[in-house]
Amino acid sequence: MGVFLQYAIFPGCDEVAAWAAVMEASEAGFHIDLSKCRYAKSHEGTQVLMEGDELGFSPLAKALSHAALNPVMLLYIYDGDFWGYDFYGGQEETHFSTMPDYFGPVTQEEKGRLSGSPDALAGWFPIQNIHAVKCYLVHWSDLSEEELDGEKFALMGDQFPFGDCWQMTDFAAWLGFPWPFGQTERTPAMKPPLPVLGEILAQALPRMPREESL
């Protein structure tokens, strides 16, 4: 069996509020093993890893957002074959899948719905370069076999190429949320995440010595 994984990003949200939202979603009937949830707090918000073979997709993302009164992006890996996300922020929502036709042919309208929207994310995430985010929002079915098999990366410095479901983590890092959960049972080896700008600025730096008056 391939990898089934989902994790939620709560930008600008503290861990307590994220925990309460996950608890409320579980009580509402979503299949979440609360004992296996892992939380990671950073300067930019909170991430929650929810492993399991049953994914919540758009309904879970919406439920978490409503419960937390906070925007939520729910990223997922499906059977190790592709990745995508569902995002809710107030009245705004956007959805993306690297393989919108995975379960069969889809209309152009549905394919467009699953194309993502960097502009919809820009107001909620600490995105430094919106054009970089666009580089990940590619439908793999539109790529050639050579591009999928030739280690083609969205951006220089990425760890995972197109065709690799863990490209999801490179995308999240560009949103300001590097993968914080280290090695799990089904996680490939990853480089340690670089600190984001907010974490660097939050560090207590030593003061420069003042020049003595003459």
Side-chain angles (χ1 to χ4, degrees), residues 34-47:
L34 297 175
S35 67
K36 293 183 179 180
C37 288
R38 298 174 61 185
Y39 294 78
K41 180 72 175 70
S42 71
H43 179 82
E44 307 294 354
T46 302
Q47 298 179 72

Side-chain angles (χ1 to χ4, degrees), residues 52 116 122 134 153 174 190 199:
K134 290 180 180 179
F153 293 85
W174 275 97
M190 295 186 187
E199 292 170 332

